[in-house]
Amino acid sequence: MAVVEDVQGRTISGCLYYDAFQTENLKTIMGSPQAAIRFLELLKSSEEGDRQYFDAGVLQDCEMDQVACVKPGVLTCSIRVTPAVQNRFGILHGGCIASLVDIIGTAALMSMDGRPGKSVGINVSYLQAGQADSLYEVHARVVSKGQSLATIIVDIIDPVSKGVVSHGTHVKYMSKNDVDLGHVLFGSKL
């Protein structure tokens, strides 16, 4: 598990577990690596077989692991091409890739701002086939963030060949009235 620092320079764990945070610290935490990792943890944490939320199924089926937020706006994780995310030809389904661009890109954005934003557009270039049972790295980074729009780049990379399997761009609208996720992520309102 990676060790990283939050936006105030405090050392935090880069894994999918965090101790409970006090309410007065939530405003600081919301735009931090903790927020991004907690967001992914909650999406993935529903019980096996529970398909109430699409995101949970994608993250569980890909066996998402090794999540690290190396700095605000940059997030990495690994995924495996299990049978549940393969198309009829036995390769990583394009819809799963687009979902990963959405989910992992949103988590990277939340590590900077705390707000998930609303998708304006997602563009994915499929460059190589993601082979069955292979392990891939997902790299997400916020490349620009203004007052109302943010752009996130998400690449799925073959760690052996270093080849890019897919390249995604996710543009999000950042409303001033965006949802407060503090109570969802950390069990308390900001």
Side-chain angles (χ1 to χ4, degrees):
M1 299 292 173
V3 175
V4 295
E5 292 182 350
D6 69 7
V7 291
Q8 292 186 332
R10 295 177 301 220
T11 301
I12 58 173
S13 171
C15 65
L16 289 177
Y17 172 79
Y18 286 101
D19 295 328
F21 293 101
Q22 296 180 4
T23 304
E24 59 267 17
N25 294 329
L26 285 176
K27 285 190 184 293
T28 301
I29 292 166
M30 284 309 297
S32 71
Q34 294 105 315
I37 293 172
R38 182 73 176 140
F39 170 73
L40 291 174
E41 176 187 45
L42 288 174
L43 287 179
K44 188 180 175 187
S45 69
S46 59
E47 295 297 317
E48 195 63 40
D50 175 12
R51 294 295 189 240
Q52 181 178 359
Y53 300 106
F54 180 79
D55 299 349
V58 169
L59 296 179
Q60 289 171 3
D61 292 342
C62 286
E63 299 178 1
M64 183 192 71
D65 196 14
Q66 300 177 352
V67 177
C69 190
V70 295
K71 65 180 183 179
V74 179
L75 188 130
T76 64
C77 67
S78 66
I79 60 159
R80 181 168 301 283
V81 182
T82 64
V85 295
Q86 294 172 19
N87 64 19
R88 71 185 84 218
F89 305 108
I91 59 175
L92 183 58
H93 194 285
C96 180
I97 292 172
S99 294
L100 289 168
V101 169
D102 180 15
I103 297 165
I104 307 301
T106 297
L109 179 61
M110 289 182 70
S111 74
M112 288 182 71
D113 187 282
R115 297 176 295 164
K118 294 167 183 66
S119 295
V120 173
I122 297 176
N123 181 49
V124 181
S125 297
Y126 303 96
L127 306 171
Q128 293 182 26
Q131 300 301 318
D133 202 41
S134 295
L135 190 66
Y136 293 98
E137 297 172 353
V138 182
H139 297 251
R141 67 190 181 285
V142 178
V143 293
S144 69
K145 184 184 162 304
Q147 289 185 9
S148 60
L149 288 177
T151 302
I152 307 109
I153 300 294
V154 180
D155 292 318
I156 297 178
I157 298 170
D158 181 336
V160 176
S161 72
K162 303 297 183 206
V164 178
V165 173
S166 66
H167 175 80
T169 305
H170 192 183
V171 178
K172 299 202 94 171
Y173 172 66
M174 304 299 292
S175 169
K176 290 182 173 115
N177 301 322
D178 223 343
V179 65
D180 166 7
L181 291 180
H183 65 287
V184 174
L185 296 176
F186 299 103
S188 176
K189 281 206 171 271
L190 291 178

